[in-house]
Amino acid sequence: MQLFKNKPTLVQLQWIVWIFVFLVIAISLMQMDPFAQAVIYAALNTCFYAAIVYGNISLLYPLYQKGRVFLYIVAVIGLLLATGALRIVISVHVYNLWFAQQPEHLSLKIFYNSVFGGLMVFMLSFVFRIAIAYFTLKQQSEEMIAQRKQAELNLLKSQVQPHFLFNTLNNIYYEAYLEAPRTARLIERLSDIMRYFVDESPKQKVRLVTEAQFLENYIALEKIRIRHEIDISFITRYDADVTVPPMLLMTFVENIFKHGIDKSSSHNKMEISLIQEDQRLTFTTINSLPEQPQNSPSTGFGISNLRQRLELLYGNNFQLQTSTVGMLFKASLNIPLL
């Protein structure tokens, strides 16, 4: 009969340890004391041992980790004296109340023995802490391996459907090219965008030229929804081998089409520049603002999420700025090229 259907958790393992400690103490006490007395004293001792162990590893040891050694030593002494005294008072009270034929009195010798026993448990608490850290890391490692296997399985599954979809888009592209070359070109751009999502976006880094091409394809498809032509300039100047994290520049361009384009106006303007200077990259967008916003007000989640991602990638080594001057909105991002 299995105790657990799945692998026991860290909490379950700790319960097993303390139950084992309780049984060992109870069995040893049964050789000298009645069953009920042995069980009660085993439970009391186990509770006080647990208080010392968890009091040290959960409450006191973090003080040592922060470099507050003197305060840690004082706190440990206080913990041992307090638990030792409380253990003796409760134990003697329980003994006199239920089991003593004649009352037993408190003494310094009993107190010293209790504190000394607590000191031994305190030393063992470091072994307990190491064991908890080991099982925590082991559990995290197993979870990461399981997640990686699941991700690999999902990737294998996901590669089947895009392969079919790309082949279908290619067939539609050749059919459309004969009748409507412009439509065929848009289908080709859509295929490139989808291929970017499947092949490039999962990577840690992509070539900047690939990222720029993705932006151009996105802009071309977004322009379909606009009634009038948009005055767009896209200036690029960077080395061919430069790489950046994928989807890092998309937020600015996406916000322009969400909040900066007036579909009924023929005076929409968009300026984009992607410039490398030394070992830094500057991405800037400037767009005209509609007189009357066509969409609901922006919640700012896009820029906020982008800032969080930049902080994870670069710490404080980046600049992200947005500003409005008259009827123009400007967004600028400056990042290091690692």
Side-chain angles (χ1 to χ4, degrees), residues 99-169:
F99 305 112
Q101 296 180 351
Q102 57 182 1
E104 183 176 341
H105 302 286
L106 298 174
S107 66
L108 287 177
K109 181 179 179 182
I110 299 176
F111 176 72
Y112 291 150
N113 290 337
S114 178
V115 173
F116 181 77
L119 179 61
M120 296 297 100
V121 175
F122 169 77
M123 300 301 295
L124 290 174
S125 69
F126 291 99
V127 178
F128 199 84
R129 180 181 179 276
I130 292 173
I132 290 177
Y134 168 76
F135 282 108
T136 300
L137 290 175
K138 188 173 183 295
Q139 193 173 49
Q140 292 175 346
S141 176
E142 291 176 350
E143 290 176 357
M144 291 177 63
I145 291 174
Q147 291 175 359
R148 186 180 67 182
K149 289 183 178 179
Q150 185 61 42
E152 291 174 351
L153 179 60
N154 292 339
L155 180 60
L156 291 175
K157 290 180 179 179
S158 67
Q159 287 176 342
V160 177
Q161 295 177 352
H163 180 72
F164 166 78
L165 185 57
F166 291 146
N167 287 340
T168 303
L169 285 174

